C-alpha cells in the first residue's frame, strides 16, 4: 500500500499536515508534529530512491486517469535523489529549528511558521515528483509563496523588503515559465513530460518551440538565481530567519536546477542543447557567477551574506557542468547538487549557532568566538574546506569531476575559472576563520558558551556527511552516473 | 497587414505583457509594481485563452448537432493561474502594509536611503 503510493504520500502528507500545524496551540506541539512529518517524508524518500534503484522509474497515475490525459507522477533516479535531498535536509533542519526559531521568531507566529515551512516542503517535493509540466508551475508557486512568507519573518525590517524583492522576481520567473509552457503546449497539445519528449523532436525547427524553450529557461534561471538573475538571493538569505536560510539554501535552488536538467534532457531532445547556443550561455553565466560572486563574497562584512554570495558562485559551478553538455559535465552537476546541499547546510547551521549565542553575525561581532565555541568553529572549518574543495571532503569530489569534464573538451577557460573560484573561496572562508580564531575576543562576548547540543548535532551530522562522501564516492557518483544514463546525455 | 489583423488577440497580449513588465521594472512605488505584475500576469491569461481557440469551434459545452469545440484545457489551466495570481497579489499587498509600518513609506528610493543610513 505504502510502496505503491510513495510519490503521492510524499506530497500529501506535508500538505495535509500544514494547516493542522498552523492551527495548533502555541508551545512545542507544532514543532513536534512538523518534526514527525519531515522524518516520515525523509524515510519515504529514502524508500523511494531504494525502490527505483532496484526496479526502475515509478509512474503513478493520479485518480487512475491514464497519462497523458490524467496527471502523472513520474520519478526516476534523478528526482528521487533530489526528493531525498529536500526531505533529508528538512528532517535535519527540524531538530535545529526548535531553539533557533524560538529565539528568532515571535512566539505567536511559531505555529504559522511551521505551517508555512510544511507548505514550502510540499511545493518542493511536489516539483520533484510530478511528471506534468503545468503541475511544476503550480508546485513552484506553492513553494515560492510560502518561502516569501518565511523570509519576511526575519527580525530586521530588511527581511520585509527582501521578501518583497524576491516576490517580484520569483513571480516574474514563474510567469515566464508559464508563458513557456503555453507556447510549447500550443505546438504539442500536451503537458505530460514523457509525452512532450515524444512529440518535440520533430518540432524543434519551429520558432514557437524555441521561444517557449527560452521562456522556460529564463523562468527557472530566475528561481535558480543563475547569474545575472541572482540579485534577490543575497538579501533573502541574509535577512531570513536562520532556519529558513538553511532550508532554502540547501533545497530550493537544487530543485530549480533539477527542473532545468529535466527540461533540457528529458522534455527536449538531447541534441537540442548543442544545436542551440544554450550550452555556451550556461558556460558563460556559470563562469561569470563563479568569478564575480566569489569576488563579492570576499568583501562582505555579514557572514550570512558572504555565504549567500558563495551560494551564487556554487550555482555557477553547477551551471558550468550543464553548459558543458556532456555526460561527464552533467554527472559533475548532479554530484555538486548533492554535495553543495551538505556543505551549505552545515555552514549556515554553524553560523546560525553563533547567531543563537550572540544574536548577530557581522565579522566584527564574532571576533575570537572560535575559541569559545570549538565545536561550532570546527564545523565551519571542515565545511569551509569542503566548500573550497580540499581533497578528502565532498567538495573535492564534485570539483574533480567538473574539471575532468572541462578538460575532456579542452575548455581551459572553464578550468581556470574553477581554479580561481576555489582560490577566492580560500580567501573568503579564510576571512571567517581569521575573525573567529585569530582576533581577540570582544569583552561583551567573554561569557559566550558553546552552542547547545540540539544545534550542534544536526550541524555535525552534515559535517560528517561532508567527510564521508568525500572519501566514499560510490553512492554519489554511482547515483549521478545512473541518473545521467536515464537522462540519456551523450558523452563527448 | 492581414497577418496583423488576424492575430490581434496576440498583439494585445504582447502589448499588455510589455506594459506590465515595464511598470514592474521602472516604477519605484511598491503598489505600482504590484499593479504592473498583475497586468503582466493577465497578459499571459489572454495568451492561453487565445491558444485554446479552435477556428469555427463552439464553446466547449456538449450540445446536440455541434461537432467542433474550442479546446477547454487552457481555460482550466488559466483558472489555476488566476488563483495563483490572486494569492501572490494578496501576499504582496500584505508585505507592502508591513513595509509601510516598518519604514513609513512605500517608495523604493526612500526605503533604500533609510537602509543605507543605518
Amino acid at each position: 500500500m505504502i510502496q505503491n503510493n510513495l510519490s503521492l504520500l510524499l506530497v500529501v502528507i506535508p500538505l495535509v499536515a500544514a494547516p493542522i500545524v498552523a492551527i495548533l496551540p502555541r508551545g512545542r506541539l507544532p514543532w513536534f508534529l512538523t518534526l514527525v512529518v519531515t522524518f516520515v517524508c525523509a524515510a519515504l524518500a529514502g524508500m523511494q530512491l531504494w525502490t527505483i534503484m532496484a526496479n526502475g522509474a515509478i509512474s503513478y497515475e493520479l485518480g487512475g486517469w491514464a497519462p497523458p490525459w490524467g496527471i502523472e507522477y513520474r520519478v526516476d533516479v534523478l528526482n528521487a535523489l533530489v526528493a531525498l535531498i529536500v526531505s533529508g535536509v528538512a528532517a535535519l533542519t527540524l531538530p535545529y529549528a526548535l531553539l533557533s526559531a524560538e529565539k528568532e521568531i515571535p512566539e505567536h507566529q511559531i505555529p504559522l511558521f511551521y505551517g508555512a515551512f510544511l507548505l514550502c516542503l510540499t511545493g518542493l517535493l511536489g516539483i520533484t515528483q510530478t511528471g506534468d509540466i503545468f503541475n511544476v508551475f503550480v508546485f513552484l508557486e506553492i513553494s515560492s509563496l510560502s518561502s516569501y512568507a518565511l523570509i519576511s519573518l526575519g527580525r530586521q525590517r530588511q527581511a520585509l523588503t527582501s521578501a518583497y524583492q524576491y516576490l517580484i522576481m520569483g513571480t516574474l520567473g514563474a510567469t515566464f515559465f508559464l508563458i513557456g509552457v503555453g507556447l510549447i503546449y500550443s505546438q504539442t497539445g500536451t503537458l505530460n513530460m514523457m509525452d512532450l519528449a515524444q512529440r518535440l523532436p520533430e518540432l524543434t525547427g519551429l520558432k514557437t518551440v524555441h521561444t517557449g524553450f527560452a521562456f522556460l529557461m529564463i523562468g527557472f534561471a530566475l528561481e535558480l538565481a543563475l547569474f545575472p538573475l541572482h540579485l534577490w538571493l543575497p538579501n533573502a538569505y541574509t535577512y531570513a530567519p536562520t532556519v529558513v536560510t538553511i532550508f532554502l539554501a540547501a533545497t530550493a535552488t537544487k530543485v530549480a536546477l533539477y527542473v532545468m536538467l529535466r527540461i533540457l534532457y528529458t522534455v527536449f531532445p538531447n541534441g537540442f542543447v548543442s544545436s542551440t547556443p544554450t550550452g555556451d550561455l550556461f558556460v558563460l553565466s556559470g563562469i561569470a557567477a563563479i568569478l564575480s560572486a566569489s569576488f563579492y563574497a570576499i568583501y562582505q562584512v555579514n557572514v550570512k551574506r558572504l555565504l549567500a554570495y558563495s551560494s551564487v558562485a556554487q550555482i555557477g559551478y553547477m551551471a558550468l557542468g550543464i553548459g558543458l553538455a556532456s555526460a561527464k559535465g552533467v554527472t559533475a552537476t548532479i554530484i555538486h547538487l548533492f554535495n553543495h546541499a551538505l556543505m551549505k547546510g552545515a555552514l549556515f547551521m554553524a553560523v546560525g549557532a553563533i547567531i543563537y549565542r550572540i544574536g548577530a553575525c557581522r565579522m566584527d561581532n564574532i571576533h575570537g568566538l572560535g575559541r569559545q565555541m570549538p565545536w561550532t568553529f570546527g564545523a565551519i572549518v571542515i565545511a569551509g574546506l569542503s566548500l573550497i574543495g580540499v581533497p578528502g571532503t565532498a567538495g573535492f569530489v564534485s570539483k574533480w569531476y567538473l574539471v575532468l569534464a572541462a578538460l575532456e573538451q579542452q575548455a581551459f577557460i572553464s578550468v581556470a575559472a574553477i581554479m580561481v573560484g576555489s582560490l577566492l573561496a580560500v580567501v573568503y572562508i579564510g576571512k571567517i576563520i581569521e575573525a573567529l580564531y585569530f582576533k581577540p575576543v570582544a569583552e561583551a562576548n567573554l561569557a559566550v558558551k558553546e552552542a547547545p547540543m540540539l544545534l550542534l548535532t544536526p550541524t555535525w551530522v552534515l559535517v560528517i556527511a561532508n567527510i564521508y562522501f568525500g572519501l566514499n564516492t560510490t553512492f554519489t557518483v554511482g547515483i549521478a552516473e545512473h541518473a545521467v544514463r536515464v537522462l540519456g546525455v551523450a558523452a563527448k | 497587414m492581414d497577418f496583423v489583423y488576424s492575430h490581434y488577440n496576440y498583439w494585445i497580449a504582447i502589448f499588455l505583457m510589455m506594459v506590465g513588465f515595464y511598470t514592474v521594472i521602472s516604477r519605484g512605488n511598491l503598489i505600482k509594481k504590484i499593479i504592473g505584475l498583475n497586468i503582466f500576469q493577465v497578459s499571459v491569461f489572454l495568451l492561453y485563452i487565445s491558444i485554446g481557440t479552435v477556428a469555427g469551434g463552439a464553446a466547449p459545452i456538449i450540445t446536440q448537432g455541434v461537432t467542433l469545440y474550442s479546446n477547454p484545457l487552457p481555460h482550466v489551466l488559466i483558472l489555476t493561474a488566476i488563483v495563483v495570481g490572486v494569492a501572490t497579489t494578496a501576499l504582496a499587498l500584505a508585505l507592502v502594509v508591513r513595509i509601510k509600518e516598518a519604514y513609513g513609506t512605500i517608495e523604493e528610493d526612500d526605503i533604500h536611503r533609510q537602509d543605507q543610513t543605518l
Side-chain angles (χ1 to χ4, degrees), chain B residues 34-117:
Chain B
I34 298 174
I35 295 173
L37 202 62
N38 272 316
I39 298 176
F40 184 61
Q41 286 177 318
V42 167
S43 76
V44 183
F45 304 163
L46 286 181
L47 178 75
Y48 267 70
I49 304 292
S50 301
I51 290 169
T53 315
V54 174
I61 303 165
I62 295 180
T63 325
Q64 228 161 20
V66 181
T67 48
L68 191 63
Y69 295 104
S70 282
N71 182 357
L73 188 66
H75 303 183
V76 180
L77 297 179
I78 275 325
L79 269 181
T80 315
I82 290 172
V83 175
V84 169
V86 170
T88 313
T89 311
L91 184 59
L93 289 172
L95 278 173
V96 173
V97 171
R98 294 278 312 278
I99 289 174
K100 170 82 178 172
E101 283 168 6
Y103 288 85
T105 174
I106 54 166
E107 290 294 330
E108 213 173 30
D109 295 342
D110 293 342
I111 292 170
H112 195 63
R113 208 170 301 127
Q114 287 188 34
D115 280 342
Q116 292 299 317
T117 49

Side-chain angles (χ1 to χ4, degrees), chain A residues 118-141:
Chain A
L118 281 175
L119 274 183
C120 190
L121 181 65
T122 309
L124 293 173
L125 283 175
I127 297 176
T128 64
Q129 301 298 309
T130 189
D132 182 284
I133 200 160
F134 191 80
N135 233 229
V136 171
F137 165 76
V138 176
F139 281 123
L140 171 73
E141 284 291 16

Side-chain angles (χ1 to χ4, degrees), chain A residues 39-178:
Chain A
F39 271 82
V40 169
C41 284
L44 290 176
M47 210 155 112
Q48 188 184 48
L49 183 62
W50 186 69
T51 316
I52 289 170
M53 292 289 276
N55 306 332
I58 297 178
S59 167
Y60 183 90
E61 296 162 8
L62 254 77
W65 295 87
W69 294 282
I71 291 172
E72 181 195 16
Y73 280 5
R74 197 185 159 79
V75 191
D76 61 27
V77 179
L78 180 59
N79 24 6
L81 176 70
V82 179
L84 182 62
I85 295 176
V86 172
S87 49
V89 169
L92 275 176
T93 314
L94 251 284
Y96 187 98
L98 178 64
L99 295 176
S100 187
E102 275 175 5
K103 190 109 179 177
E104 293 184 31
I105 296 167
E107 200 201 338
H108 67 279
Q109 285 176 336
I110 294 236
L112 293 173
F113 164 75
Y114 285 114
F117 184 89
L118 281 175
L119 274 183
C120 190
L121 181 65
T122 309
L124 293 173
L125 283 175
I127 297 176
T128 64
Q129 301 298 309
T130 189
D132 182 284
I133 200 160
F134 191 80
N135 233 229
V136 171
F137 165 76
V138 176
F139 281 123
L140 171 73
E141 284 291 16
I142 294 178
S143 69
S144 305
L145 284 169
S146 42
S147 44
Y148 310 144
L150 287 172
I151 288 167
S152 72
L153 285 173
R155 275 176 310 174
Q156 287 156 294
R157 62 178 180 181
Q158 286 98 322
L160 297 171
T161 43
S162 34
Y164 181 87
Q165 195 187 12
Y166 183 19
L167 183 143
I168 297 286
M169 302 277 253
T171 308
L172 283 180
T175 312
F176 268 58
F177 184 76
L178 190 63

Side-chain angles (χ1 to χ4, degrees), chain A residues 160-247:
Chain A
L160 297 171
T161 43
S162 34
Y164 181 87
Q165 195 187 12
Y166 183 19
L167 183 143
I168 297 286
M169 302 277 253
T171 308
L172 283 180
T175 312
F176 268 58
F177 184 76
L178 190 63
I179 298 172
V181 171
L183 292 176
I184 304 274
Y185 176 75
S186 72
Q187 297 306 314
T188 57
T190 182
L191 293 165
N192 183 295
M193 291 189 195
M194 299 317 280
D195 206 26
L196 278 169
Q198 285 181 356
R199 298 193 193 186
L200 272 173
E202 48 191 285
L203 300 171
T204 47
L206 292 174
K207 277 213 180 80
T208 316
V209 171
H210 280 255
T211 317
F213 176 77
F215 271 112
L216 293 179
M217 283 295 118
I218 299 293
F220 258 89
L222 260 163
E223 307 296 335
L224 175 63
L226 184 60
F227 185 91
L229 304 171
H230 65 279
L231 293 171
W232 58 267
L233 187 143
N235 276 331
Y237 283 14
T238 310
Y239 298 114
T242 314
V243 182
V244 177
T245 310
I246 297 166
F247 182 63

